[in-house]
Amino acid sequence: MMHILPYFAALFPSVAGLSISLSLELGATQPYKAPQPYKAPWETLPPTPPLPEANFNGTAPINGIDLWYATFGAPLEESQANGLNPVVFLHGGYANSDYWSHQVEHLKDGPFTLITIDSRGQGRSTDDTSRPLTYDLMTEDVVALMDHLEIPKFSTVGWSDGSCISFDLAMNFTDRIDRIFAFGGTYSPNNINATAAESPVFLEYLDRVGKEYEHNSPSNGTFEEFGERIDAMWSSEPTWDAGSFSKIPTRYDDPEAPILWIVDGDSEEAVTRDTPGVLRSWVWGSDLVILPGVSHFAFLQDPDTFNVVLTRFLTMPSFVTEDIGYDRNHGPIPLIDASSHRISLQGAVKNAFNLSVSDLRSLDQHSMICALQCAGNRRHAMRTTIKEVQGIDWFDGAVMNCRWTGPRLRDVLLKAGVSLSAEEKKKAQVEFACHQNPSPEEEWFGTSIPLEKAMAEEADVIIALEMNGKPLEPKHGYPARIIAPGLAGVRSVKWLDRITVQLQESSNHYHQRDYRVLPPDVQTSEQADPKWSEAPPLQEMPLNSAICLPRSGSTCKRDKNGTVEVKGYALPGYAAGPIQEVEVSADGGNTWEKAKLSENDGQDDGDLKWAWHRWEIRMPMDAGENQKLLSRATDSKGNKQEAQSQWNLRGIGYCGYGEVNDITIS
């Protein structure tokens, strides 16, 4: 052996102190190892880890079978004494409780009692082949086990079939349910993705669960025989619609109603992409969360992000509207130590420097109410009223109205000193970047806005540290994010770690090849390729309104005066708040009735420049089916909402009339 570090250190004394021993056997050749190609999380199926040690595991005699379950975490008496209901984990088809191992491990040292169940015929539970497998039967199994354990009320975390069981519980055993976290669920066999069986990840999953079945199952039958039973169920169930989900009370009518989160991955391969949005629209007051970079197996593919979101769900207050907010990311949610976090300010400035969170708090703080909305808010309306688009099927809920607090970006830029000529400043951009976690398309996320907007005091762009008077939560950008009022939500970069003043727009994929308004003649991704650089990035969001109640497909009962309650929200155009008027039509826009605007909790008009306005009206309507309601808003500059906006491939910036259809009035 020949040690080469002394020789290397003699040539380069600066490395002499390194405690490294490099050795190379003379004459030996080192085998070449080709770098492994990168695979996004959604392209993988990580191993199924074993469950941690349980407080108890075994079976209970339930509805003619031996149902296997295990308990973890706090003792039941202790968690119930603290006012916490047990959390029941329900797995997907063919699987077993082990698939929840990452989540159980994450939560087991906390205050909750955790219960995992192997559904009948799956995992370590026995089967009764004399009875067809149905969601109702598996739902009854869960309720019977809770009765066996003397648990009156509980929460569920469901995946796929487990989500369907959770929905069934919410519809038919509402008073037993505290909250439901439904990941990858559906409402009809027609929503199963026809290409799911061709997915390499799904094929790997089927191979894995077949082996697990042979290892775990106490039944005498084969995996193929059980497959026939579950396939028979999947071919005909569930058969739910808006009316089915209307059985679930809403938190706006009943504070004791279940909290329901509809959750899915942005690369979901098992159910169609519009399914989560439809489900969310059918349960008014529910929340929609789309996890980035993952598929039907997110809890294995990115357990850290999944666990952060799940923990937030389990610990959120039962009925606090300020905690309801849409959540859209282009990468995993990072957990950042605020004490060591730094934001670099660089580029065309006289004084480049790094800012700590303490530095930001030492600056003058500016607070404002701002409605932050995704560029794709109301994409579903563009898809259904004009034609198909690309992107997550957001309905009308990708918006939240919050009070944001932090120093003005203008003050930070003035401190740095922009080193550009007056002419250069007119075309300059300020880029915001996050390097905390890779996004699906790049190793970092970034976008930019015009320097003139960043420097304008009246534009109110801030580096936000607080949301509704509290430090930002991780999912909303902790410890610091940009809030650019009136601009598309993508411009308000979370987990901010770099600000750059530059002459060109951001080079990041999400600025160059997304969130741009492509011309209507661009109909496909292939046609879009040469057009991205020509299309303008969506910056200013348009005047808009939406009807939130009643929901499309619902049935409404008139009061004694022949009116129906209609509620919604309206958003001003850029810097054009507050909303001045909202009108509602029940005859296709021929006549309009003026709605009542909310009082906005005593805020004066100056506070509502960027805010939404809620509105309501008792609308006269005739009895009948297939009825439609429209809404339109007017802002402080006299702009009136248009009937329909221009179609674009990515479905962004839709601002046509608010609309609900297929309403039955009785």
Side-chain angles (χ1 to χ4, degrees), residues 261-266 272-282 286-292 324-330 372-385 387-400 475-476 488-490 494 514-515 538 541 544 546 569 650-655 659:
W261 278 19
I262 308 297
V263 190
D264 217 323
D266 65 359
T272 55
R273 296 293 177 87
D274 64 340
T275 299
V278 172
L279 287 168
R280 190 266 170 192
S281 74
W282 285 348
S286 62
D287 292 300
L288 176 63
V289 179
I290 303 297
L291 303 178
I324 301 174
Y326 86 98
D327 180 22
R328 175 66 171 127
N329 311 307
H330 288 284
L372 186 67
Q373 62 175 318
C374 180
N377 189 35
R378 303 195 64 211
R379 180 180 280 133
H380 181 80
M382 183 180 287
R383 168 177 280 130
T384 54
T385 61
K387 63 179 178 180
E388 185 60 53
V389 296
Q390 296 179 353
I392 293 172
D393 195 38
W394 290 114
F395 279 62
D396 302 332
V399 57
M400 57 183 178
K475 70 175 181 178
H476 291 308
V490 68
K494 301 179 184 180
D514 205 348
Y515 299 101
L538 178 63
M541 293 297 284
N544 220 330
Y569 68 80
R650 292 291 292 137
I652 59 175
Y654 184 77
C655 57
E659 182 174 335

Side-chain angles (χ1 to χ4, degrees), residues 237-292:
E237 294 189 10
T239 53
W240 296 319
D241 56 18
S244 308
F245 281 86
S246 68
K247 298 177 184 177
I248 304 174
T250 75
R251 284 182 283 160
Y252 296 98
D253 299 327
D254 179 4
E256 298 301 315
I259 293 174
L260 177 57
W261 278 19
I262 308 297
V263 190
D264 217 323
D266 65 359
S267 297
E268 168 67 66
E269 70 272 72
V271 298
T272 55
R273 296 293 177 87
D274 64 340
T275 299
V278 172
L279 287 168
R280 190 266 170 192
S281 74
W282 285 348
V283 186
W284 179 240
S286 62
D287 292 300
L288 176 63
V289 179
I290 303 297
L291 303 178

Side-chain angles (χ1 to χ4, degrees), residues 26-48:
L26 291 176
T29 58
Q30 301 300 311
Y32 171 73
K33 291 185 178 180
Q36 294 296 311
Y38 170 75
K39 278 193 173 183
W42 62 268
E43 298 177 289
T44 67
L45 186 68
T48 309

